[in-house]
Amino acid sequence: MDPAFTTMIFITIRRFGANLFTYAGKILRRMRVRFLLVLIFLFATFLFCVTPLHRLYRSSTYLGGGGKFVIILAANHGGGVMEWKGPREWAIERDSVKNKRKYAKRWGYHLEIVDMTTKKRYAHEWRESWEKVDTMRNSMRKYPKAEWFWWLDLNTFVMEPSYSLQSHIFNQLTANTYRDVNQYNPLNITHPFPATYVDELSRSVEGDGQPESINLIVPQDCGGFNLGSFFMRRSAWTDRLLDIWWDPAAYEQKHMEWEHKEQDALEYLYKNQAWIRPHTAFIPQRKINSFPPGACSDGGNDARIHYDEHDRDFLVNMAGCEWGRDCWSEMYRYRELSNRLNRSRWEKCKDWISEKKKAFAGGTREVAG
């Protein structure tokens, strides 16, 4: 064989080997970098999801934003004012408290569980329901760094714990609320304020239109304002409102006329005090306060008011269940429904397999019969 030809073949094989080695090295380096990136991602995921780091992130005021929110839950640890609680009442309280604790822990919110039994300082008058106002003010003192305070009655249940308050409401506060009460006005309130002597802002239909000026968020049911679930923001305006709302002079003069106590008082102030309207926003009831069938249902179910499983409403308020309805049955029903709707994929898979097994077993029995 020609030596020159042999040399050429040798050189070609050598170059091919070198190129192959170089190419393989590049691939290995890329794989090494990718493998390292995957390891970093898995480690970060483990660190964030398994350790308490994600809770610290969510509860941070400046990162996750959870520290800005306080959930105030009205409880009654002492067993009631007018009568002692039975097993069903204790069960309702246990489920409600557990539900709020789980939700607050998930998103890093503060949870203030308030004992709503009558205190000695109100011994001269039974003013239990009015303690909402005083409790809201005390909570603002207790959590000086929090911005928003969410009041919840005991007969409420968070149906969709995967909804954070930020994504559900506050990231788009203007879109999720409305200032003009005429959009839904069961009390037939004259709006804007019917007086020419007040300033232009107080006579505005929409206030200044800025979300930063909203200090009170209230849903409305078929009868007017509903304070079973509402928000207040820390501000000088809020301090002023709480002082006037709690004013004993108004209570002494009007408490016999106000069937719903602090709720009627707030409605009265909204109607008659022009400065309250520019800082008050309303929110569609089903956004934070859906009712079950039976509440506000004289005219049948109302799409603006009543809970809809298919729309995955955020929260249910069993308002008025103690008057002719079964509070425990409603709480149990919505607790089980929430558990079913919020199953993990693995749980859904297991349920599907279980249903198929039952269907197969039933079909086998029919054939054998």
Side-chain angles (χ1 to χ4, degrees):
M1 184 179 292
D2 188 357
F5 181 72
T6 303
T7 304
M8 186 179 68
I9 292 175
F10 178 76
I11 293 172
T12 303
I13 293 173
R14 188 175 177 182
R15 285 178 180 174
F16 176 76
N19 291 338
L20 184 64
F21 183 79
T22 303
Y23 181 71
K26 288 180 180 179
I27 291 176
L28 287 174
R29 279 195 295 272
R30 288 176 185 173
M31 289 180 64
R32 197 177 301 160
V33 171
R34 289 174 183 174
F35 182 70
L36 184 61
L37 290 174
V38 169
L39 278 181
I40 293 172
F41 174 76
L42 291 175
F43 178 73
T45 302
F46 173 83
L47 195 66
F48 191 76
C49 296
V50 179
T51 68
L53 187 63
H54 69 289
R55 293 176 191 160
L56 293 174
Y57 172 83
R58 286 179 173 176
S59 62
S60 169
T61 302
Y62 302 103
L63 296 175
K68 295 180 180 181
F69 298 91
V70 178
I71 300 173
I72 305 173
L73 178 64
N76 198 346
H77 301 301
V81 177
M82 303 302 288
E83 59 182 15
W84 292 104
K85 290 191 294 189
R88 296 168 78 85
E89 286 75 25
W90 284 113
I92 290 169
E93 182 173 298
R94 181 187 65 243
D95 281 357
S96 181
V97 170
K98 182 180 179 181
N99 173 249
K100 309 311 182 299
R101 277 188 175 142
K102 195 173 180 180
Y103 180 72
K105 183 178 180 181
R106 177 170 186 162
W107 294 107
Y109 305 142
H110 301 289
L111 176 62
E112 181 73 3
I113 301 175
V114 182
D115 187 356
M116 293 299 289
T117 52
T118 301
K119 298 179 175 65
K120 289 183 179 179
R121 56 180 164 170
Y122 311 118
H124 67 290
E125 61 193 20
W126 184 43
R127 198 176 177 184
E128 181 180 12
S129 181
W130 286 73
E131 290 184 18
K132 282 185 181 180
V133 184
D134 198 31
T135 298
M136 185 69 74
R137 187 161 46 189
N138 291 337
S139 297
M140 289 184 178
R141 294 194 192 104
K142 185 173 180 179
Y143 300 95
K145 294 183 179 180
E147 180 181 2
W148 283 100
F149 296 79
W150 184 22
W151 176 276
L152 287 175
D153 283 351
L154 186 64
N155 289 332
T156 57
F157 200 87
V158 177
M159 296 295 292
E160 298 296 333
S162 62
Y163 299 177
S164 70
L165 293 177
Q166 295 95 311
S167 63
H168 187 54
I169 301 169
F170 291 95
N171 289 348
Q172 294 182 309
L173 188 57
T174 302
N176 289 320
T177 58
Y178 59 95
R179 306 284 189 99
D180 184 4
V181 72
N182 294 311
Q183 288 190 31
Y184 181 59
N185 194 358
L187 294 172
N188 294 318
I189 297 171
T190 302
H191 186 73
F193 196 79
T196 56
Y197 56 83
V198 297
D199 62 278
E200 185 176 344
L201 180 62
S202 298
R203 286 187 284 111
S204 171
V205 173
E206 296 283 349
D208 64 3
Q210 300 300 316
E212 294 79 13
S213 65
I214 298 175
N215 293 313
L216 174 65
I217 303 175
V218 182
Q220 295 189 89
D221 59 30
C222 59
F225 294 9
N226 187 287
L227 299 184
S229 170
F230 72 99
F231 290 92
M232 295 196 84
R233 184 186 225 156
R234 181 193 303 281
S235 67
W237 180 93
T238 302
D239 289 339
R240 182 184 177 192
L241 174 62
L242 290 172
D243 284 342
I244 295 175
W245 198 356
W246 183 248
D247 191 341
Y251 170 80
E252 292 293 345
Q253 293 179 36
K254 291 284 189 178
H255 74 281
M256 296 300 290
E257 301 175 27
W258 289 336
E259 179 184 357
H260 299 290
K261 306 176 179 69
E262 82 296 333
Q263 208 160 269
D264 289 341
L266 181 61
E267 291 172 353
Y268 179 85
L269 290 172
Y270 184 86
K271 289 177 184 177
N272 295 281
Q273 298 291 331
W275 60 273
I276 291 178
R277 300 193 185 193
H279 298 275
T280 301
F282 299 96
I283 188 167
Q285 183 174 349
R286 286 177 51 200
K287 198 78 175 172
I288 62 167
N289 199 37
S290 297
F291 277 2
C296 262
S297 58
D298 292 342
N301 284 358
D302 189 330
R304 296 170 297 186
I305 294 174
H306 293 101
Y307 176 82
D308 190 327
E309 173 185 340
H310 302 291
D311 290 340
R312 305 292 289 267
D313 290 353
F314 175 48
L315 179 137
V316 172
N317 180 3
M318 280 69 82
C321 62
E322 61 272 21
W323 308 106
R325 306 197 327 262
D326 190 335
C327 295
W328 164 240
S329 294
E330 290 187 5
M331 179 69 76
Y332 176 80
R333 175 196 165 201
Y334 284 107
R335 183 193 72 190
E336 293 303 302
L337 177 59
S338 176
N339 290 339
R340 181 173 65 82
L341 292 174
N342 291 282
R343 291 171 299 170
S344 65
R345 291 181 180 177
W346 171 240
E347 289 171 331
K348 290 178 181 178
C349 180
K350 288 195 298 182
D351 289 344
W352 181 82
I353 294 172
S354 178
E355 289 172 4
K356 291 299 180 182
K357 285 174 66 178
K358 288 179 181 178
F360 178 76
T364 305
R365 290 194 196 97
E366 288 179 5
V367 171

